[in-house]
Amino acid sequence: MAEVINMPRLSDTMEEGTVASWLKKVGDKVEEGDILAEIETDKATMEFESFNEGTLLHIGLQEGETAKVDSLLAIIGEEGEDISALISGGSASAVAEEAPAEAPVAEASAPAASAEVPEGVIVVTMPRLSDTMEEGTVATWLKKVGDEVEEGDILAEIETDKATMEFESFQSGNLLYIGLEEGESAKVDSLLAIIGPAGTDVSAVASGFGSAPAAAAPAKTEEPKAAAPKAEAPKAAPAPKAAAPVATPKVSSDGGRLFVSPLAKKMAEEKGFNIADIPGSGENGRIVKRDVENFTPKAAALAAAAGVSTPASEESFVEIKNSNMRKAIAKNLAKSKFTAPHYYLNVEFDMDNAIAFRKEVNAIPDTKVSFNDIVVKACAMALKLHPQVNSQWFDDRMKLNNHVHIGVAVAVEDGLLVPVVKFADQRKLTQIGAAVKEYAIKAKTKKLSLEEMEGSTFTISNLGMFGIDTFTSIINQPNSAILSVGAIVQKPVVKDGEIVVGNTMKLCLAADHRTIDGATGAQFLQTLKGFIENPISMLL
């Protein structure tokens, strides 16, 4: 069955997009993960990949044309399939209703139709807050049913595959209906909320919205009201909705009342913290997100969370629900590992000069440079001399990048984030160090923006600070290579025919054989060796 592809929301403030270029044309075969087009948003020009397989049957916007989010962008289906009805329908909501009901019924019940939606009422759907996001989880609602909403107000915090992000309203009115409770997940474009004039009955709109989780099964006539009590909540029982837990009272260790935000409660549970041990900085001592992020648990609490108190000979386990980020990491790494023909080149560099160089640089007041900063700078300069390594692979072409944007892998609780140091070859060592430090802090507090995680042409993963001397990494596609950096180790080495104490560091380049031949990878590492073993050369 043909799938309608709408203009995605590729940033949290995006209202419309412009097709910069199509990478597929009508009649082309499309695989899941193929880049369909480059979309210019309010922040950047981003690649938009397909989540469907089939043949590109229709293009709704030509290159250079602009349309609102959720406008018809393309249609993918089986070759020769009749899509005339979909083209005339022009929206995903109409298509969603056509599948379970006859066309006349679908047209009558589609929530997007102006005749069915009361005047002034706006249906808010789950936004696509990252270019790879397929579903989102409501971490917390910052508004409750009945609240006034102004344009620009933060409605909710949405957990995507990359981060937990604030989602702001683009409309003003009253929050009439909430389609997903805190902790619930749904696909992009599912019903999230309804905003409109106070007192408006939106139960029919909610129950008729085909992608709302509660109303997904009964898609035809009067049955949704009985089968989907959530859709009736704003009309029949507004009080429970209005009382959605903005603060959850609990009891502290001294018997007093404890106030906790839903997001803080969820984060504390995930980390295994006793919520009563966390001091609150919000109103009336309310425990909020930042309190959990800044809390350092006692050793006893950590031991209990780790299950140390479990009696001997008793089996025990903890199940942790996979976050959207963890699921996205699993999908992307599996795709990279099983589609890109990886090969690995291992080298060991003499770090004596780099150690002396860093010591001299850090002796300058207000200056701090790490060995990782030196590696980033050296890679950036080597990549300028070896553009083949600074390349990206696509099914129909290979892109050799003249700019150098280096992704620096940062470990966070839910997995791995890769903020990007843009134009790294043009930055000073101190500027690279400041950028990496800032990104690391943002990554750990989930404050990285999409723009700060996009556009890498090469990636560096450093586990040296954990004492790992050598390891291999999986390529961060569509990049062609990733460099694994180990710890600096002091050991006996041979210099000028004598055994002396030296400092060495092992690195491993994982490369995609489709774009980088073995000799090319080796030449890149030789150039990199020259910069790292003689870092003064990077300043000349």
Side-chain angles (χ1 to χ4, degrees):
M1 178 180 175
E3 296 285 345
V4 172
I5 312 300
N6 291 328
M7 174 65 74
R9 189 189 300 278
L10 296 177
S11 81
D12 52 336
T13 58
M14 176 180 171
E15 296 185 24
E16 63 180 18
T18 301
V19 177
S21 63
W22 281 101
L23 303 182
K24 298 286 185 179
K25 61 182 183 295
V26 172
D28 282 356
K29 292 290 184 182
V30 177
E31 300 291 334
E32 182 179 354
D34 284 358
I35 305 301
L36 282 179
E38 292 183 334
I39 306 292
E40 181 182 341
T41 74
D42 57 335
K43 291 184 176 179
T45 299
M46 303 173 64
E47 294 176 336
F48 175 55
E49 70 178 60
S50 174
F51 300 111
N52 309 100
E53 297 182 353
T55 300
L56 183 57
L57 303 176
H58 175 74
I59 287 178
L61 291 172
Q62 299 304 314
E63 292 181 353
E65 290 185 343
T66 302
K68 294 288 186 183
V69 169
D70 293 331
S71 299
L72 176 63
L73 181 64
I75 298 176
I76 295 175
E78 296 180 5
E79 188 173 356
E81 188 173 352
D82 181 10
I83 58 170
S84 55
L86 301 185
I87 296 174
S88 60
S91 74
S93 54
V95 175
E97 295 296 332
E98 282 182 4
E102 297 178 0
V105 176
E107 293 173 1
S109 62
S114 58
E116 296 297 324
V117 179
E119 183 177 356
V121 169
I122 300 295
V123 175
V124 181
T125 58
M126 176 65 72
R128 188 187 302 277
L129 296 177
S130 80
D131 53 332
T132 57
M133 175 179 171
E134 296 184 26
E135 67 177 17
T137 301
V138 176
T140 185
W141 281 102
L142 302 181
K143 297 287 184 179
K144 59 182 182 294
V145 172
D147 281 357
E148 288 282 346
V149 178
E150 298 292 333
E151 183 178 352
D153 284 356
I154 304 301
L155 279 181
E157 291 183 332
I158 306 292
E159 180 188 338
T160 74
D161 57 333
K162 292 184 176 178
T164 299
M165 303 176 63
E166 294 179 334
F167 175 55
E168 67 179 64
S169 174
F170 300 109
Q171 294 85 26
S172 298
N174 276 78
L175 183 56
L176 304 175
Y177 176 79
I178 285 177
L180 290 171
E181 298 298 340
E182 292 177 351
E184 290 185 341
S185 302
K187 296 289 186 183
V188 169
D189 294 332
S190 297
L191 177 61
L192 183 64
I194 301 177
I195 295 174
T200 306
D201 180 9
V202 295
S203 56
V205 178
S207 62
F209 196 92
S211 57
K220 292 194 177 181
T221 54
E222 279 75 22
E223 289 302 316
K225 291 188 178 180
K230 184 185 289 187
E232 285 293 304
K235 178 179 178 182
K241 279 285 186 177
V246 175
T248 304
K250 285 185 172 291
V251 178
S252 64
S253 57
D254 59 2
R257 195 175 183 184
L258 198 63
F259 292 93
V260 188
S261 76
L263 180 59
K265 178 184 176 184
K266 178 185 177 185
M267 290 174 62
E269 290 174 350
E270 290 176 348
K271 292 174 180 287
F273 295 167
N274 182 350
I275 197 70
D277 292 339
I278 303 176
S281 62
E283 186 178 0
N284 297 322
R286 182 170 178 245
I287 301 170
V288 295
K289 176 183 176 183
R290 63 176 175 270
D291 300 323
V292 181
E293 291 175 336
N294 297 328
F295 177 67
T296 301
K298 298 176 183 177
L302 278 177
V308 174
S309 60
T310 301
S313 304
E314 180 178 319
E315 293 183 352
S316 177
F317 64 90
V318 176
E319 287 189 349
I320 301 174
K321 182 180 178 181
N322 289 331
S323 66
N324 290 337
M325 181 189 297
R326 176 59 64 185
K327 288 187 283 188
I329 289 172
K331 176 183 176 182
N332 294 336
L333 292 184
K335 177 183 176 183
S336 176
K337 185 66 175 178
F338 298 123
T339 61
H342 288 56
Y343 71 89
Y344 304 95
L345 299 177
N346 297 283
V347 290
E348 188 170 15
F349 291 168
D350 184 340
M351 296 298 290
D352 285 347
N353 288 340
I355 291 172
F357 173 80
R358 177 174 178 263
K359 185 176 181 179
E360 289 187 20
V361 170
N362 287 347
I364 302 172
D366 300 322
T367 302
K368 183 69 174 178
V369 170
S370 69
F371 289 112
N372 193 65
D373 301 333
I374 295 173
V375 173
V376 172
K377 178 66 175 179
C379 282
M381 296 184 67
L383 289 168
K384 288 294 290 185
L385 300 175
H386 300 276
Q388 196 83 12
V389 183
N390 195 42
S391 65
Q392 293 168 315
W393 170 267
F394 302 97
D395 287 343
D396 57 347
R397 71 195 191 285
M398 179 171 62
K399 182 190 291 185
L400 301 181
N401 297 292
N402 296 318
H403 59 279
V404 178
H405 293 348
I406 294 187
V408 181
V410 177
V412 296
E413 182 181 359
D414 285 342
L416 198 69
L417 293 178
V418 187
V420 181
V421 180
K422 305 288 179 68
F423 303 105
D425 59 306
Q426 301 174 25
R427 297 202 188 195
K428 298 179 181 178
L429 271 171
T430 51
Q431 293 173 326
I432 291 174
V436 171
K437 183 178 180 180
E438 178 187 1
Y439 289 156
I441 294 173
K442 285 185 174 182
K444 294 182 186 300
T445 57
K446 297 187 176 181
K447 297 297 183 183
L448 278 172
S449 68
L450 294 177
E451 188 175 2
E452 291 169 329
M453 293 187 285
E454 294 167 350
S456 67
T457 59
F458 184 86
T459 306
I460 295 173
S461 180
N462 190 338
L463 293 180
M465 68 284 294
F466 299 108
I468 304 300
D469 62 349
T470 183
F471 66 103
T472 60
S473 300
I474 299 175
I475 297 169
N476 181 28
Q477 289 189 332
N479 296 348
S480 293
I482 183 170
L483 186 71
S484 305
V485 181
I488 296 176
V489 177
Q490 191 173 70
K491 67 177 188 178
V493 298
V494 177
K495 288 187 177 181
D496 299 326
E498 296 184 357
I499 298 177
V500 297
V501 176
N503 295 276
T504 66
M505 181 174 70
K506 293 180 180 179
L507 304 94
C508 176
L509 180 73
D512 187 338
H513 220 316
R514 295 174 298 184
T515 50
I516 305 173
D517 293 330
T520 303
Q523 291 164 1
F524 165 77
L525 289 174
Q526 285 182 334
T527 302
L528 183 64
K529 177 183 176 73
F531 286 131
I532 290 181
E533 292 191 346
N534 300 282
I536 191 69
S537 63
M538 293 190 288
L539 306 180
L540 302 178

